[in-house]
Amino acid sequence: GAFRVVPLEELRRPEDRPSVPRKDVERLRAEGLVQTMPYVVGRERTTLVTLTERGRQVLESSRRDGVREQPFYAGIAKARELSHDVRVHRAYQAASRQLGERGVRVRRVVLEQELKRAYQAFLQAPNRGRPRATGRPQRDADEVARWAREHQLPMVDDHVQFPDLRLECERPDGEREIHDVEVMTPHYR
């Protein structure tokens, strides 16, 4: 649920037989917790899996008190971004594997849209409650730069840059660190 979509074959753990995730997903689909759809990424055929709204609600209701919020996603947000979303999950798997080899545990996955949502909330905060607010941000360049530093995000030409994926991690010594992951696609600008 931390990702919008996941390719079915990427749900398989190394020790699983090939049919295990398919059977589990079919059971979840029959219960209305996930939906699947065929898809082609590049030239590769795959089946994408996403939570249904009911599946997301089940995850939400099973949260433990005091656990840092990990947003869960249901359904497909933008069909034109499916290929990118698949690559984001693959990039996560590769980064997670490399971090795990160093004993680093991923504690939270933060997608680009979450970071952008936080940025927009920051930009628009001065407009809240103002009559006839234009909707334009009332933040100056220094405030934006400070926000970017506080959130460990780079700025290029006075614009905050957002990674496709941020991994909030814990090292073996208990210290926290973040790892930003950028996905390159054929349509990358």
Side-chain angles (χ1 to χ4, degrees), residues 3-5 35 37 50-51 73-82 85 111 113 117:
F3 293 89
R4 290 183 284 251
V5 296
Q35 61 185 18
M37 64 180 282
T50 186
L51 286 177
Y73 299 93
I76 294 166
K78 298 178 183 173
R80 71 178 188 273
E81 293 184 6
L82 280 175
D85 291 346
L111 299 180
Q113 73 186 53
R117 190 177 308 123

Side-chain angles (χ1 to χ4, degrees), residues 112-170:
E112 176 184 28
Q113 73 186 53
E114 290 176 64
L115 293 168
K116 286 182 174 179
R117 190 177 308 123
Y119 180 58
Q120 286 302 316
F122 158 77
L123 288 177
Q124 296 298 331
N127 288 337
R128 284 189 190 77
R130 289 181 55 213
R132 293 195 223 147
T134 64
R136 287 199 167 129
Q138 302 295 314
R139 302 290 189 169
D140 64 30
D142 290 337
E143 290 175 298
V144 170
R146 190 175 323 111
W147 185 92
R149 277 192 308 277
E150 289 170 2
H151 290 83
Q152 300 177 34
L153 292 167
M155 289 194 60
V156 176
D157 298 328
D158 295 327
H159 297 304
V160 179
Q161 302 296 300
F162 299 94
D164 289 312
L165 177 65
R166 171 168 279 184
L167 303 178
E168 295 179 358
C169 303
E170 184 178 321

